Amino acid sequence: MPPPPGPFRPGFWRSPIRGPWMTSVFGLLLLIGIPLLFVTGLLSYASYNPGLSPLNDKTPDKGVLGFYLFSWPTHPYWLYRVLQGVHVTLGVVLVPVLLAKLWSVIPKLFEWLPVRSVAHGLERLSLLMLVGGVIFEFVTGILNIQLYYVFPGSFYRLHFYGAWVFIAAFVVHVCLRLGRMTRALRSRSLSAELRTDLAHTLPEPPDPDGLVAAAPASPTMTRRGAVGMVGAGSVLLLAVTAGQSIGGWLRGTALLAPRNRDPGSGPNSFQINKTAAAVGVTPALVGPDWRLEVRGRGAPLVFTREQLLTMPQHAAALPIACVEGWSTDDQHWSGLRLADLAAEAGMPGAGNVLVESIQPSGPFTRVVLRGNQIHDPRALLALRVNGAHLSLDHGYPARVIVPANPGVNNTKWVHRLTFRT
Protein backbone atom coordinates (compact mmCIF):
# COMPACT_ATOMS: atom_id res chain seq x y z
CA MET A 1 0.00 0.00 0.00
CA PRO A 2 1.67 3.28 -1.04
CA PRO A 3 1.99 5.94 1.65
CA PRO A 4 -0.34 8.95 1.51
CA PRO A 5 1.17 12.31 0.56
CA GLY A 6 2.83 14.54 3.12
CA PRO A 7 4.80 13.45 6.18
CA PHE A 8 4.15 9.73 5.53
CA ARG A 9 6.41 9.89 2.44
CA PRO A 10 10.08 9.07 3.21
CA GLY A 11 11.30 12.02 1.14
CA PHE A 12 9.28 14.50 3.22
CA TRP A 13 11.87 14.63 6.01
CA ARG A 14 15.10 16.11 4.62
CA SER A 15 17.19 17.41 7.53
CA PRO A 16 20.78 16.22 7.01
CA ILE A 17 21.62 16.31 10.74
CA ARG A 18 18.80 14.04 11.86
CA GLY A 19 19.99 10.52 12.63
CA PRO A 20 20.71 7.93 15.34
CA TRP A 21 23.65 9.86 16.81
CA MET A 22 21.72 13.10 17.26
CA THR A 23 18.74 11.23 18.68
CA SER A 24 21.00 9.36 21.10
CA VAL A 25 22.65 12.55 22.40
CA PHE A 26 19.28 13.99 23.39
CA GLY A 27 18.12 10.57 24.58
CA LEU A 28 21.10 10.26 26.91
CA LEU A 29 20.25 13.58 28.56
CA LEU A 30 16.66 12.44 29.08
CA LEU A 31 17.87 9.07 30.35
CA ILE A 32 19.64 10.96 33.13
CA GLY A 33 17.00 13.61 33.79
CA ILE A 34 13.72 11.71 33.62
CA PRO A 35 14.49 9.12 36.33
CA LEU A 36 15.53 11.99 38.62
CA LEU A 37 12.24 13.73 37.83
CA PHE A 38 10.32 10.55 38.60
CA VAL A 39 12.08 9.90 41.91
CA THR A 40 11.74 13.49 43.14
CA GLY A 41 8.07 13.43 42.10
CA LEU A 42 7.39 10.27 44.11
CA LEU A 43 9.22 11.70 47.11
CA SER A 44 7.22 14.90 46.81
CA TYR A 45 4.00 12.91 46.87
CA ALA A 46 5.24 10.88 49.85
CA SER A 47 5.84 14.13 51.74
CA TYR A 48 2.07 14.59 51.97
CA ASN A 49 1.93 11.44 54.14
CA PRO A 50 -0.77 9.85 51.94
CA GLY A 51 -0.60 6.57 53.86
CA LEU A 52 -1.37 8.34 57.15
CA SER A 53 -4.92 9.48 56.49
CA PRO A 54 -7.49 9.61 53.67
CA LEU A 55 -7.49 13.39 54.19
CA ASN A 56 -3.88 13.53 52.98
CA ASP A 57 -4.31 11.07 50.11
CA LYS A 58 -5.20 12.69 46.79
CA THR A 59 -5.07 9.35 44.91
CA PRO A 60 -7.28 7.02 46.95
CA ASP A 61 -7.43 4.35 44.22
CA LYS A 62 -3.68 4.09 43.69
CA GLY A 63 -3.37 0.49 44.94
CA VAL A 64 0.19 -0.87 44.66
CA LEU A 65 1.35 2.30 42.91
CA GLY A 66 1.35 4.16 46.21
CA PHE A 67 3.84 2.16 48.25
CA TYR A 68 5.99 4.16 50.65
CA LEU A 69 8.59 2.61 52.90
CA PHE A 70 9.15 5.40 55.44
CA SER A 71 7.50 8.21 57.36
CA TRP A 72 8.27 11.63 55.99
CA PRO A 73 11.14 13.12 58.06
CA THR A 74 11.53 16.59 59.53
CA HIS A 75 15.32 16.62 59.06
CA PRO A 76 16.88 18.37 57.27
CA TYR A 77 14.33 21.16 57.60
CA TRP A 78 14.98 22.34 54.00
CA LEU A 79 14.37 18.89 52.51
CA TYR A 80 11.07 19.62 50.77
CA ARG A 81 12.28 23.00 49.56
CA VAL A 82 15.26 21.45 47.76
CA LEU A 83 13.32 18.39 46.60
CA GLN A 84 10.48 20.28 44.96
CA GLY A 85 12.78 22.98 43.65
CA VAL A 86 14.84 20.35 41.84
CA HIS A 87 11.72 18.59 40.53
CA VAL A 88 10.13 21.72 39.07
CA THR A 89 13.31 23.39 37.82
CA LEU A 90 14.63 20.23 36.19
CA GLY A 91 11.27 19.63 34.51
CA VAL A 92 11.35 23.11 32.98
CA VAL A 93 15.03 22.85 31.98
CA LEU A 94 14.42 19.56 30.16
CA VAL A 95 11.73 21.04 27.90
CA PRO A 96 14.16 22.03 25.07
CA VAL A 97 15.83 18.61 25.28
CA LEU A 98 12.47 16.88 25.08
CA LEU A 99 11.38 18.96 22.07
CA ALA A 100 14.69 18.26 20.35
CA LYS A 101 14.35 14.54 21.00
CA LEU A 102 10.81 14.54 19.57
CA TRP A 103 12.05 16.49 16.53
CA SER A 104 14.82 13.96 15.98
CA VAL A 105 12.42 10.99 15.88
CA ILE A 106 9.40 12.61 14.26
CA PRO A 107 9.76 10.53 11.06
CA LYS A 108 9.07 7.45 13.20
CA LEU A 109 5.73 8.89 14.27
CA PHE A 110 4.66 9.00 10.59
CA GLU A 111 6.03 5.57 9.71
CA TRP A 112 4.11 3.73 6.99
CA LEU A 113 2.50 1.25 7.36
CA PRO A 114 1.46 2.27 10.88
CA VAL A 115 1.17 -1.39 11.96
CA ARG A 116 2.97 -4.15 10.09
CA SER A 117 2.70 -7.05 12.55
CA VAL A 118 1.64 -7.83 16.11
CA ALA A 119 5.16 -7.14 17.41
CA HIS A 120 5.38 -3.92 15.43
CA GLY A 121 1.94 -2.92 16.70
CA LEU A 122 3.02 -3.44 20.33
CA GLU A 123 6.12 -1.35 19.72
CA ARG A 124 3.99 1.42 18.19
CA LEU A 125 1.61 1.27 21.18
CA SER A 126 4.52 1.66 23.60
CA LEU A 127 5.75 4.60 21.51
CA LEU A 128 2.30 6.19 21.69
CA MET A 129 2.25 5.74 25.48
CA LEU A 130 5.78 7.13 25.70
CA VAL A 131 5.19 10.25 23.62
CA GLY A 132 1.68 10.85 24.92
CA GLY A 133 2.77 10.26 28.50
CA VAL A 134 5.75 12.59 28.41
CA ILE A 135 3.76 15.38 26.75
CA PHE A 136 0.95 14.94 29.29
CA GLU A 137 3.33 15.05 32.26
CA PHE A 138 5.28 18.07 31.08
CA VAL A 139 2.18 20.03 30.02
CA THR A 140 0.26 19.40 33.26
CA GLY A 141 3.34 20.20 35.33
CA ILE A 142 4.03 23.47 33.53
CA LEU A 143 0.36 24.52 33.68
CA ASN A 144 0.37 23.83 37.41
CA ILE A 145 3.43 25.96 38.14
CA GLN A 146 1.85 28.71 36.04
CA LEU A 147 -1.30 28.48 38.20
CA TYR A 148 -3.41 27.71 35.14
CA TYR A 149 -5.82 25.13 36.52
CA VAL A 150 -7.72 23.74 33.54
CA PHE A 151 -7.49 20.09 34.59
CA PRO A 152 -10.60 17.87 34.45
CA GLY A 153 -9.97 16.82 38.04
CA SER A 154 -7.26 17.00 40.69
CA PHE A 155 -3.81 17.88 39.40
CA TYR A 156 -2.26 15.58 42.00
CA ARG A 157 -4.24 12.57 40.79
CA LEU A 158 -3.75 13.24 37.07
CA HIS A 159 -0.04 13.92 37.40
CA PHE A 160 0.49 10.89 39.66
CA TYR A 161 -1.22 8.35 37.41
CA GLY A 162 0.22 9.96 34.29
CA ALA A 163 3.70 9.57 35.76
CA TRP A 164 3.23 5.82 36.25
CA VAL A 165 1.90 5.33 32.71
CA PHE A 166 4.79 7.30 31.28
CA ILE A 167 7.53 5.67 33.36
CA ALA A 168 6.27 2.20 32.39
CA ALA A 169 6.53 3.09 28.69
CA PHE A 170 9.88 4.79 29.34
CA VAL A 171 11.36 1.67 30.94
CA VAL A 172 10.16 -0.51 28.04
CA HIS A 173 11.58 1.96 25.54
CA VAL A 174 14.95 2.08 27.30
CA CYS A 175 15.16 -1.70 27.41
CA LEU A 176 14.43 -1.90 23.68
CA ARG A 177 16.70 0.95 22.58
CA LEU A 178 19.58 1.12 25.03
CA GLY A 179 21.86 -1.05 22.89
CA ARG A 180 21.13 0.97 19.75
CA MET A 181 21.67 4.22 21.63
CA THR A 182 25.02 3.02 22.94
CA ARG A 183 26.19 1.96 19.48
CA ALA A 184 25.04 5.25 17.97
CA LEU A 185 26.89 7.31 20.56
CA ARG A 186 30.07 5.32 19.92
CA SER A 187 29.73 5.73 16.16
CA ARG A 188 30.73 9.41 16.23
CA SER A 189 32.97 11.51 18.42
CA LEU A 190 31.18 14.25 20.34
CA SER A 191 34.28 16.46 20.36
CA ALA A 192 34.72 15.97 16.60
CA GLU A 193 31.06 16.86 15.95
CA LEU A 194 31.39 19.99 18.07
CA ARG A 195 34.33 21.08 15.89
CA THR A 196 32.66 20.35 12.54
CA ASP A 197 31.63 23.44 10.60
CA LEU A 198 28.69 23.80 8.21
CA ALA A 199 30.72 23.03 5.10
CA HIS A 200 31.75 19.66 6.49
CA THR A 201 28.40 18.69 8.00
CA LEU A 202 27.31 15.48 6.28
CA PRO A 203 24.36 13.11 6.81
CA GLU A 204 24.86 10.00 8.89
CA PRO A 205 24.94 6.65 7.07
CA PRO A 206 21.51 5.12 6.35
CA ASP A 207 20.05 3.40 9.40
CA PRO A 208 17.45 0.64 9.77
CA ASP A 209 15.17 2.89 11.84
CA GLY A 210 14.70 5.40 9.05
CA LEU A 211 15.85 8.44 11.03
CA VAL A 212 18.39 9.48 8.39
CA ALA A 213 16.76 11.38 5.52
CA ALA A 214 16.35 9.39 2.31
CA ALA A 215 17.02 12.54 0.26
CA PRO A 216 18.80 14.97 2.58
CA ALA A 217 18.85 18.66 1.80
CA SER A 218 21.91 20.87 2.10
CA PRO A 219 22.66 21.65 5.77
CA THR A 220 21.61 24.98 7.20
CA MET A 221 22.82 24.18 10.72
CA THR A 222 25.61 22.05 12.14
CA ARG A 223 25.06 19.38 14.77
CA ARG A 224 27.12 21.62 17.01
CA GLY A 225 24.63 24.39 16.40
CA ALA A 226 21.66 22.16 17.16
CA VAL A 227 23.14 20.92 20.43
CA GLY A 228 24.18 24.45 21.34
CA MET A 229 20.73 25.85 20.63
CA VAL A 230 19.11 23.24 22.85
CA GLY A 231 21.69 23.85 25.57
CA ALA A 232 21.17 27.61 25.39
CA GLY A 233 17.41 27.12 25.68
CA SER A 234 17.84 25.00 28.78
CA VAL A 235 20.23 27.49 30.36
CA LEU A 236 17.79 30.34 29.65
CA LEU A 237 14.91 28.43 31.25
CA LEU A 238 17.12 27.66 34.24
CA ALA A 239 17.91 31.36 34.62
CA VAL A 240 14.23 32.41 34.62
CA THR A 241 13.00 29.57 36.85
CA ALA A 242 15.53 28.56 39.51
CA GLY A 243 15.34 31.85 41.43
CA GLN A 244 11.90 30.99 42.79
CA SER A 245 13.46 28.10 44.72
CA ILE A 246 16.87 29.60 45.53
CA GLY A 247 15.49 32.89 46.86
CA GLY A 248 17.39 36.03 47.74
CA TRP A 249 18.06 38.48 44.92
CA LEU A 250 17.64 35.64 42.39
CA ARG A 251 13.91 35.63 43.10
CA GLY A 252 13.65 38.68 40.86
CA THR A 253 14.98 36.64 37.93
CA ALA A 254 12.22 34.01 38.20
CA LEU A 255 10.16 35.39 35.33
CA LEU A 256 8.32 32.08 34.89
CA ALA A 257 7.17 32.07 38.52
CA PRO A 258 3.95 34.08 38.77
CA ARG A 259 3.33 33.45 42.45
CA ASN A 260 3.42 36.77 44.28
CA ARG A 261 6.81 37.89 42.98
CA ASP A 262 6.42 41.29 44.68
CA PRO A 263 4.87 40.62 48.13
CA GLY A 264 5.48 44.15 49.41
CA SER A 265 7.51 45.15 52.46
CA GLY A 266 7.47 44.50 56.19
CA PRO A 267 7.70 41.40 58.40
CA ASN A 268 4.95 39.58 56.47
CA SER A 269 6.38 40.40 53.04
CA PHE A 270 7.09 36.90 51.77
CA GLN A 271 5.26 34.72 49.31
CA ILE A 272 1.90 33.10 49.90
CA ASN A 273 0.01 30.35 48.16
CA LYS A 274 -3.48 31.87 48.30
CA THR A 275 -4.78 35.02 49.89
CA ALA A 276 -7.40 34.90 52.60
CA ALA A 277 -9.89 36.61 50.30
CA ALA A 278 -9.33 34.00 47.59
CA VAL A 279 -10.39 31.15 49.89
CA GLY A 280 -13.22 32.94 51.68
CA VAL A 281 -11.50 33.72 55.00
CA THR A 282 -12.87 37.09 56.10
CA PRO A 283 -11.80 39.24 59.07
CA ALA A 284 -15.11 38.35 60.75
CA LEU A 285 -14.14 34.65 60.86
CA VAL A 286 -10.92 35.41 62.74
CA GLY A 287 -12.14 38.32 64.87
CA PRO A 288 -12.58 38.51 68.66
CA ASP A 289 -14.83 35.46 68.68
CA TRP A 290 -12.12 33.18 67.25
CA ARG A 291 -11.07 30.36 69.54
CA LEU A 292 -8.55 27.56 69.30
CA GLU A 293 -9.95 24.20 70.37
CA VAL A 294 -7.45 21.54 71.45
CA ARG A 295 -8.72 17.99 71.82
CA GLY A 296 -7.09 14.94 73.29
CA ARG A 297 -7.91 13.06 76.46
CA GLY A 298 -10.68 14.55 78.55
CA ALA A 299 -12.71 17.63 77.79
CA PRO A 300 -11.63 19.90 74.92
CA LEU A 301 -9.49 22.90 75.83
CA VAL A 302 -10.47 26.27 74.42
CA PHE A 303 -8.09 29.24 74.14
CA THR A 304 -8.36 32.81 72.97
CA ARG A 305 -5.43 34.22 71.05
CA GLU A 306 -4.50 36.38 74.00
CA GLN A 307 -4.29 33.30 76.22
CA LEU A 308 -2.06 31.57 73.67
CA LEU A 309 0.29 34.56 73.65
CA THR A 310 0.71 34.33 77.43
CA MET A 311 1.88 30.72 77.23
CA PRO A 312 5.62 29.84 76.81
CA GLN A 313 6.65 30.87 73.31
CA HIS A 314 9.25 29.13 71.15
CA ALA A 315 10.95 30.15 67.91
CA ALA A 316 12.03 28.40 64.71
CA ALA A 317 13.55 29.60 61.43
CA LEU A 318 11.82 27.70 58.63
CA PRO A 319 10.93 28.32 54.96
CA ILE A 320 7.63 27.85 53.20
CA ALA A 321 7.93 25.60 50.12
CA CYS A 322 5.12 24.85 47.69
CA VAL A 323 4.40 22.13 45.14
CA GLU A 324 4.67 24.68 42.31
CA GLY A 325 8.41 24.91 43.05
CA TRP A 326 8.57 28.30 44.73
CA SER A 327 9.83 28.71 48.26
CA THR A 328 10.70 31.48 50.69
CA ASP A 329 13.87 32.12 52.59
CA ASP A 330 13.86 31.07 56.26
CA GLN A 331 11.25 33.06 58.16
CA HIS A 332 11.48 33.50 61.93
CA TRP A 333 8.33 32.06 63.46
CA SER A 334 7.27 32.08 67.09
CA GLY A 335 4.44 30.41 68.91
CA LEU A 336 3.60 27.23 70.78
CA ARG A 337 5.24 23.90 70.18
CA LEU A 338 2.83 21.27 68.92
CA ALA A 339 4.38 18.87 71.43
CA ASP A 340 3.47 21.23 74.29
CA LEU A 341 -0.11 21.50 73.05
CA ALA A 342 -0.27 17.71 72.86
CA ALA A 343 0.86 17.53 76.49
CA GLU A 344 -1.75 20.14 77.45
CA ALA A 345 -4.38 17.89 75.88
CA GLY A 346 -3.18 14.90 77.90
CA MET A 347 -1.49 13.28 74.89
CA PRO A 348 2.27 13.77 75.37
CA GLY A 349 2.99 10.76 73.18
CA ALA A 350 0.48 11.64 70.44
CA GLY A 351 0.92 9.59 67.29
CA ASN A 352 -0.78 12.10 64.98
CA VAL A 353 -2.84 15.27 65.00
CA LEU A 354 -5.78 16.37 62.89
CA VAL A 355 -5.35 20.04 62.00
CA GLU A 356 -8.50 21.89 60.93
CA SER A 357 -8.71 25.33 59.36
CA ILE A 358 -11.51 27.82 59.64
CA GLN A 359 -11.27 28.15 55.85
CA PRO A 360 -14.82 27.44 54.53
CA SER A 361 -13.81 24.95 51.83
CA GLY A 362 -10.89 23.56 49.88
CA PRO A 363 -8.84 20.38 49.48
CA PHE A 364 -6.38 21.18 52.30
CA THR A 365 -8.65 22.63 54.98
CA ARG A 366 -7.95 19.51 57.07
CA VAL A 367 -4.67 17.58 57.20
CA VAL A 368 -3.10 15.01 59.49
CA LEU A 369 0.48 15.30 60.75
CA ARG A 370 2.61 12.39 61.95
CA GLY A 371 3.97 11.91 65.44
CA ASN A 372 7.53 12.76 64.39
CA GLN A 373 6.21 16.07 63.05
CA ILE A 374 4.38 16.83 66.29
CA HIS A 375 7.42 16.13 68.47
CA ASP A 376 10.01 18.02 66.44
CA PRO A 377 10.89 21.02 68.66
CA ARG A 378 10.66 23.32 65.62
CA ALA A 379 7.06 22.31 64.83
CA LEU A 380 4.91 25.21 65.96
CA LEU A 381 1.45 26.59 66.09
CA ALA A 382 2.81 29.96 64.97
CA LEU A 383 1.29 33.21 66.20
CA ARG A 384 3.97 35.62 65.03
CA VAL A 385 6.52 35.81 62.22
CA ASN A 386 9.64 37.97 61.91
CA GLY A 387 8.75 39.78 65.14
CA ALA A 388 5.23 40.75 64.08
CA HIS A 389 1.75 39.27 64.35
CA LEU A 390 0.78 37.06 61.43
CA SER A 391 -1.03 38.87 58.66
CA LEU A 392 -4.41 37.56 57.60
CA ASP A 393 -2.94 36.21 54.36
CA HIS A 394 -0.28 34.34 56.32
CA GLY A 395 -2.77 32.61 58.58
CA TYR A 396 -3.77 34.98 61.39
CA PRO A 397 -4.68 34.24 64.12
CA ALA A 398 -2.66 30.95 64.13
CA ARG A 399 -1.07 28.61 61.64
CA VAL A 400 0.99 25.43 61.64
CA ILE A 401 4.64 25.46 60.58
CA VAL A 402 6.55 22.15 60.45
CA PRO A 403 10.09 21.45 59.16
CA ALA A 404 10.31 19.88 55.67
CA ASN A 405 6.52 19.99 55.30
CA PRO A 406 4.82 20.93 51.99
CA GLY A 407 3.38 24.41 52.16
CA VAL A 408 -0.24 23.34 51.79
CA ASN A 409 0.14 21.06 54.83
CA ASN A 410 1.30 23.98 56.96
CA THR A 411 -2.33 24.82 57.58
CA LYS A 412 -3.35 28.46 57.98
CA TRP A 413 -6.25 29.91 60.02
CA VAL A 414 -6.20 26.94 62.41
CA HIS A 415 -9.15 26.63 64.79
CA ARG A 416 -8.95 23.01 66.00
CA LEU A 417 -6.20 20.52 66.84
CA THR A 418 -7.19 16.94 67.65
CA PHE A 419 -4.35 14.84 69.06
CA ARG A 420 -4.68 11.09 68.73
CA THR A 421 -2.73 7.97 69.57
Side-chain angles (χ1 to χ4, degrees):
M1 183 183 297
F8 293 96
R9 297 286 177 92
F12 183 86
W13 306 102
R14 304 192 63 198
S15 172
I17 63 173
R18 185 184 281 117
W21 184 84
M22 182 68 81
T23 296
S24 298
V25 169
F26 298 134
L28 178 61
L29 296 175
L30 293 176
L31 184 60
I32 297 169
I34 284 177
L36 182 56
L37 273 182
F38 183 70
V39 170
T40 54
L42 281 186
L43 290 174
S44 176
Y45 190 79
S47 69
Y48 287 77
N49 289 317
L52 178 63
S53 167
L55 292 176
N56 295 16
D57 192 357
K58 304 307 173 186
T59 57
D61 302 320
K62 61 186 180 298
V64 296
L65 299 181
F67 64 91
Y68 300 105
L69 304 179
F70 59 93
S71 301
W72 189 250
T74 57
H75 298 272
Y77 74 91
W78 40 258
L79 176 62
Y80 186 77
R81 181 184 186 187
V82 172
L83 177 75
Q84 197 61 16
V86 169
H87 182 73
V88 169
T89 303
L90 179 61
V92 173
V93 166
L94 285 179
V95 167
V97 183
L98 173 64
L99 294 177
K101 177 65 161 58
L102 292 177
W103 168 85
S104 73
V105 298
I106 197 169
K108 295 290 291 180
L109 301 180
F110 293 93
E111 193 175 68
W112 192 261
L113 293 166
V115 178
R116 300 172 185 171
S117 64
V118 173
H120 184 250
L122 292 175
E123 182 184 359
R124 298 287 286 174
L125 179 61
S126 70
L127 185 63
L128 178 64
M129 292 174 60
L130 180 71
V131 175
V134 73
I135 291 175
F136 179 84
E137 285 299 286
F138 274 76
V139 168
T140 55
I142 290 171
L143 289 177
N144 184 64
I145 65 176
Q146 292 300 312
L147 319 179
Y148 191 57
Y149 300 114
V150 292
F151 315 111
S154 167
F155 163 77
Y156 300 91
R157 183 175 300 184
L158 293 172
H159 205 64
F160 179 83
Y161 289 129
W164 278 109
V165 171
F166 165 63
I167 204 66
F170 180 78
V171 169
V172 171
H173 185 73
V174 169
C175 291
L176 292 174
R177 300 289 179 175
L178 185 60
R180 295 184 187 182
M181 184 187 79
T182 303
R183 290 191 296 271
L185 289 173
R186 290 175 176 173
S187 68
R188 306 175 84 86
S189 167
L190 176 62
S191 59
E193 287 296 336
L194 296 181
R195 293 194 303 268
T196 303
D197 58 19
L198 189 64
H200 294 89
T201 297
L202 302 174
E204 296 183 46
D207 69 301
D209 292 322
L211 296 178
V212 178
S218 299
T220 57
M221 176 181 288
T222 63
R223 292 181 179 86
R224 174 182 61 193
V227 172
M229 183 173 64
V230 172
S234 292
V235 170
L236 177 62
L237 289 176
L238 175 66
V240 297
T241 303
Q244 67 171 341
S245 303
I246 298 172
W249 65 268
L250 286 173
R251 191 172 305 281
T253 67
L255 303 179
L256 294 186
R259 181 76 71 184
N260 195 18
R261 291 181 57 235
D262 184 17
S265 59
N268 281 270
S269 61
F270 54 95
Q271 286 175 291
I272 57 175
N273 191 314
K274 293 181 181 179
T275 65
V279 297
V281 175
T282 63
L285 290 175
V286 295
D289 293 334
W290 175 88
R291 298 291 184 271
L292 175 71
E293 184 178 329
V294 180
R295 296 182 177 182
R297 287 194 176 95
L301 305 176
V302 179
F303 302 94
T304 65
R305 193 170 191 276
E306 288 70 25
Q307 289 173 320
L308 294 175
L309 287 169
T310 63
M311 297 169 69
Q313 305 289 297
H314 299 274
L318 298 171
I320 294 287
C322 196
V323 69
E324 288 99 352
W326 65 264
S327 58
T328 72
D329 298 324
D330 291 354
Q331 307 300 319
H332 296 272
W333 309 89
S334 62
L336 285 73
R337 286 177 175 164
L338 293 182
D340 292 344
L341 289 170
E344 287 278 344
M347 300 283 290
N352 63 75
V353 59
L354 170 63
V355 183
E356 298 179 79
S357 172
I358 207 168
Q359 179 182 332
S361 62
F364 295 98
T365 57
R366 298 190 300 161
V367 301
V368 179
L369 301 177
R370 289 188 182 275
N372 65 313
Q373 295 175 311
I374 296 171
H375 299 293
D376 190 295
R378 297 164 297 179
L380 304 177
L381 179 74
L383 306 174
R384 297 169 62 87
V385 63
N386 299 324
H389 293 295
L390 295 171
S391 68
L392 183 58
D393 284 340
H394 280 298
Y396 178 90
R399 69 168 298 160
V400 163
I401 183 72
V402 174
N405 206 28
V408 290
N409 279 7
N410 288 320
T411 308
K412 296 191 287 188
W413 312 294
V414 174
H415 80 103
R416 183 180 296 119
L417 297 171
T418 304
F419 293 95
R420 305 178 293 199
T421 57

